[in-house]
């Protein structure tokens, strides 16, 4: 039978006396029937839904006819444990190596064709684990998937879910998993290692074990077609039993040169200078993440706009990149003079005395004195003139 998963969810809602669960999936079934030409049946369902009790009808989200009800709270702090959003594909460009893109597409296909695959006994539960260094686009990937599937994203920061009160964490987890089953949605467990750290971790062993066991139980009780995405920077901390439960595991690598080039082009957009040496920019930014590239572009664009310009100056761009990369390596300059000296030594051709003077609002002579070791005989100034 077609649309069996919706029918089962409606039944589940009725049996658990959960009106919004039944109504949400009723609405979804009506949409699916309408899209396959069963207009009459769709209308019957919608008429039935229109007769739902007032409280329920009120809870329906006008934009999508989906109600997720009251978001769960942490029993300890009374703060929301789930953040609900409806990401859109507008302005969301995710750049991935092609092998990873293929795998993400397979994940989407397995969701879109779940019923068909399940009939053939070839369905994988919709569980995706994304892992990689900070700033490689894991959270963005979750948003991109939600936008592609046109589903609400229920983001859970696992570190805030782990409560200071013993026993509260497992209860929080239960509430979050129940909440995600109210309506078609994506449950996104961000900073997942906070929850799924290996059993036998030396700190607080008893509580952690209970949390991991609760997590495994909740995952096992989740219907196969409920979409779960988890993200972590520390996949090596993950309990193996948790790891195995994700049919799709996607590593997020640092962008290679080709991807860095695309990131720079996308993020600079119309602010890119005409004669920018893209190749040099992509090569120099080796080892950085998309997040660093984004930060450099935003910072440079911001100061460009405040100066009343429409195009960034390439020296300003390279300067921010150099400083950001040093910062990422843990190198801090004690003062501006240090920074200037470093830039001068890093790329003497690009950061001529004159360019540095302009960037830092100083005179060429001041820069010359500051950079000390370099010639002070006047030739330097000539060199600066030539290259600026
Ligand atoms: N592959 C990518 N394609 C496009 N943009 C990217 C990519 N990687 C990073 N970015 C940019 O970096 C920003 C931060 O990325 P995101 O928050 O998704 O990283 P993350 O992997 O979740 O990091 P963290 O582990 O710190 O949470 C994004 O908003 C995006 O602009
Ligand atoms: Mg993130």
């Amino acid at each position: 039978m077609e649309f069996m998963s919706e029918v089962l969810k409606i039944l589940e809602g009725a049996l658990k006396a959960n009106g919004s669960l039944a109504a949400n999936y009723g609405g979804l079934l009506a949409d699916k029937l309408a899209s396959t030409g069963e207009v009459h049946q769709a209308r019957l369902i919608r008429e039935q839904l229109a007769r739902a009790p007032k409280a329920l009808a009120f809870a329906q989200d006008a934009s999508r006819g989906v109600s997720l009800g009251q978001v769960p709270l942490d029993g300890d702090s009374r703060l929301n444990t789930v953040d609900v959003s409806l990401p859109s594909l507008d302005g969301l460009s995710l750049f991935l190596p092609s092998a990873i893109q293929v795998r993400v597409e397979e994940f989407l296909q397995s969701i879109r064709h779940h019923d068909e695959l399940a009939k053939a006994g070839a369905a994988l539960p919709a569980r995706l684990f994304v892992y990689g260094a900070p700033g490689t686009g894991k959270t963005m990937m979750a948003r991109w998937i939600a936008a592609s599937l046109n589903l609400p994203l229920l983001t859970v920061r696992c570190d805030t879910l782990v409560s200071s009160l013993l026993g509260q964490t497992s209860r929080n987890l239960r509430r979050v998993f129940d909440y995600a089953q109210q309506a078609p949605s994506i449950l996104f467990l961000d900073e997942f290692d906070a929850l799924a750290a290996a059993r036998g971790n030396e700190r607080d062993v008893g509580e952690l074990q209970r949390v991991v066991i609760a997590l495994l139980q909740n995952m096992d009780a989740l219907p196969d077609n409920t979409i779960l995405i988890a993200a972590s920077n520390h996949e090596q901390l993950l309990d193996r039993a948790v790891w195995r439960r994700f049919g799709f595991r996607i590593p997020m690598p640092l962008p290679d040169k080709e991807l860095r080039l695309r990131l720079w082009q996308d993020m600079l957009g119309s602010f890119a200078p005409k004669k920018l040496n893209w190749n040099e920019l992509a090569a120099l930014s080796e080892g950085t993440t998309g997040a660093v590239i984004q930060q450099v572009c935003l910072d440079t664009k911001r100061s460009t706009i405040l100066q009343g310009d429409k195009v960034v100056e390439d020296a300003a761009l390279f300067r921010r990149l150099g400083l950001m990369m040093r910062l990422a390596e843990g190198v801090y300059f004690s003062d501006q003079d240090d920074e200037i000296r470093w830039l001068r030594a890093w790329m003497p051709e690009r950061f001529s005395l004159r360019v540095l003077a302009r960037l830092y609002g100083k005179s060429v002579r001041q820069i010359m004195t500051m950079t000390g070791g370099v010639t002070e005989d006047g030739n330097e100034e000539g060199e600066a003139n030539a290259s600026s």
Side-chain angles (χ1 to χ4, degrees), residues 93-96 133-140 191 233 263 267 290-291 294:
S93 343
L94 182 63
F95 298 99
L96 298 172
T136 45
K138 300 180 295 294
T139 301
M140 196 174 180
E191 322 286 340
N233 299 332
L263 282 161
M267 289 174 178
Q294 183 197 35

Side-chain angles (χ1 to χ4, degrees), residues 5-27:
S5 52
E6 283 75 24
V7 172
L8 287 175
K9 286 299 249 183
I10 295 167
L11 185 61
E12 184 190 338
L15 293 174
K16 288 185 177 165
N18 184 337
S20 60
L21 175 65
N24 285 326
Y25 280 90

